[in-house]
Amino acid sequence: MEQRDWPAEYATLTAADRQAPLDPADLDRLAVAAFVLGHDDEVTALRERAHEEHLARGDVVRAIRSGFWLGFHLQKQGELARAAGWQTRIGRLVPADNPELTGLIAIADAALLMNSGDAAAALPAFEQHSASATEPDTMVLVALGRGSCLAMLGRGPEAVQALDEAMVHVTASRVGPEVAGMAYCSVIALCLDLYDIRRAQEWTQALTGWCDEQSGLVPYRGACLVHRAQILQLRGAWTEAAGAAEDACRRLSAGTVGSAWYRLGEVERRRGHYEAAERAYQTAARDGMDVQPGLALLRAAQGNPDAGIAGVERALAEDPFSPNRPMLLAARVELAITCEDRESARKASAELSELARTDAPYLQALAAYSEGAARIACGDPQGAIPSLRRAWTLWQRLEMPYEGAQTRLLVGQACRALGDVDAEQMELDGARVVFERLGAVQELTALDQLARPFDGTGLTPRELEVLRVLATGATNRGIADQLFLSERTVARHVSNIFAKLRVSSRSAATAWAYQHKLTG
């Protein structure tokens, strides 16, 4: 696709249309520019005008194409009844001896079936026309339709192959921006549904690059905003994730906005903003979204794990084949451990391990983490560590810092149970650095509660180390360099030391250290 200055093209064509009505070809161009710039409300009227003008000039073929893209836009907007009406209208115009246009109408009809939820009926139509499509745009639409139908029917690996085929044309810049944007969002959504997080991250990066090349293009819209928020959350960019989710909440309409509110709730819960998370989950539920397991984990954080367990158990029983089942099972493990229900933790962990027998590293990491947590709860810290080490390695590869830090927290607990104080402290310090950077309030509180008092002073082993170095006259920066900590972590330790020793200065803390023979 040629690179255009979309704002300039939109401004020029809009100004020209005010002076005198544009010819139909320019109306089609303006419709594309309006779409690219996010003026979705203008696209329908422009396509309608183009269709009528093409007909008035006797150009039936172009009139059909304008009507096709109008129907395509209406379907993407969720206006299926209007889209069906336009497809019937342009269908009457198609000459019986024109297989290309007949195929175009068939593709639109198949898409309407798919978007109405009848993937089984839509799939044969897409497959029938996969060989006859000759233009890159229609070839990609057919491949996307096949992939989406296959995914809806639970045939994930085949769906991936179909979308890979579509992306060949997209990445080669052979299709228009309307098709390219939909293709990127479709492949990202499928990857997330299949828990192929690494692939979803790669396609999100590619989408961002493509958007950057298009001057003025509105990069994310609709459900793609929700997908972007999820990817940002997984990568630890929580502020940006909340912004993307809030943007999606503003842009999406009733019936589809629930997923955006749920994603916002997930981000706010991790940030410790429980009231905001509660509001987001409630709003998502009003739109028809099942808010588990997020709400259950919020209830546990609020001190009511029994309510959380009831919600997760209901969701697990409601749909045994739900794509969300791995997340529900992982939450069930966590809630069972909170309530000291070891048998339920073992049972949920075992089922999750069975579901994780796939090529998806995310599911493998989730299962390994849950198994490690269950083993610790069941008194097997030695057996937990290999699973947790494997989970941490996978989280690192997926570039998911929060989950990695959570895993290190569990490793620290296992090391404590085994009496390895040094390893415990190193794991907890490593987790703390990440939690502080993310602003994970709940986890930082849990770390403080894990800190083990030492000889009645209230100081943890790490705080004693910090105090020893502080007593040499070292600055926080010097302590951080010597103990391989962040300066922010040192500052937190120093503050805790002052509070526990009931002193208000470094000199007083140093005096305490000398008095208690902590200096060498």
Side-chain angles (χ1 to χ4, degrees), residues 302-498:
Q302 293 169 329
N304 189 6
D306 289 338
I309 289 172
V312 169
E313 290 284 8
R314 186 270 310 159
L316 285 168
E318 188 172 313
D319 183 2
F321 303 103
S322 168
N324 198 39
R325 194 169 186 84
M327 306 305 298
L328 292 168
L329 289 169
R332 186 66 183 92
V333 172
E334 182 175 335
L335 293 165
I337 291 171
T338 300
C339 296
E340 299 184 358
D341 182 357
R342 298 174 181 176
E343 182 56 34
S344 293
R346 276 196 297 260
K347 181 179 177 182
S349 173
E351 184 181 346
L352 179 55
S353 294
E354 285 298 314
L355 292 179
R357 295 182 184 277
T358 68
D359 293 330
Y362 178 86
L363 286 185
Q364 295 168 7
L366 191 65
Y369 173 86
S370 296
E371 180 184 351
R375 284 182 177 273
I376 291 174
C378 294
D380 182 18
Q382 190 69 62
I385 290 179
S387 294
L388 294 173
R389 296 290 189 199
R390 181 165 184 263
W392 185 81
T393 299
L394 290 169
W395 296 135
Q396 289 296 103
R397 291 175 183 171
L398 292 169
E399 299 181 46
M400 296 173 60
Y402 174 71
E403 288 76 7
Q406 282 186 310
T407 304
R408 295 197 73 175
L409 186 60
L410 284 185
V411 174
Q413 292 180 34
C415 291
R416 165 180 287 194
L418 295 170
D420 190 346
V421 176
D422 288 337
E424 172 201 352
Q425 198 63 57
M426 286 187 285
E427 295 296 336
L428 297 187
D429 284 342
R432 184 182 293 278
V433 169
V434 176
F435 290 143
E436 287 178 343
R437 175 170 58 82
L438 295 174
V441 175
Q442 181 181 0
E443 284 71 18
L444 288 170
T445 301
L447 272 172
D448 288 339
Q449 292 172 349
L450 275 174
R452 180 170 58 186
F454 181 81
D455 289 342
T457 65
L459 298 179
T460 66
R462 179 60 89 186
E463 287 167 352
L464 285 168
E465 283 186 294
V466 170
L467 179 56
R468 287 190 183 98
V469 181
L470 180 151
T472 68
T475 64
N476 283 6
R477 179 70 268 167
I479 297 170
D481 291 341
Q482 187 166 335
L483 297 181
F484 302 102
L485 301 174
S486 73
E487 194 167 352
R488 184 175 178 180
T489 297
V490 171
R492 185 183 182 94
H493 284 317
V494 170
S495 177
N496 288 341
I497 290 167
F498 284 5

Side-chain angles (χ1 to χ4, degrees), residues 257-299:
V257 74
S259 61
W261 282 108
Y262 180 79
R263 185 53 47 195
L264 181 60
E266 288 290 271
V267 178
E268 298 293 22
R269 175 173 61 81
R270 283 167 172 77
R271 295 203 292 183
H273 301 166
Y274 295 151
E275 290 185 5
E278 177 95 29
R279 289 193 298 270
Y281 289 137
Q282 295 295 342
T283 308
R286 285 197 293 271
D287 194 58
M289 180 81 181
D290 190 341
V291 292
Q292 298 297 353
L295 182 61
L297 295 172
L298 176 63
R299 290 287 178 258

Side-chain angles (χ1 to χ4, degrees), residues 27-28 30-32 34-35 39-52 66-67 69-77 79 82-83 86 178:
L27 286 171
D28 282 324
L30 181 54
V32 173
F35 171 82
H39 306 311
D40 293 329
D41 55 333
E42 300 177 19
V43 174
T44 299
L46 290 168
R47 289 292 193 186
E48 287 178 347
R49 286 177 58 194
H51 171 81
E52 297 295 343
S66 291
W69 289 112
L70 171 55
F72 167 82
H73 180 72
L74 290 171
Q75 287 200 45
K76 295 306 296 179
Q77 295 292 101
E79 299 183 55
R82 288 185 68 190
W86 270 95
E178 295 163 299

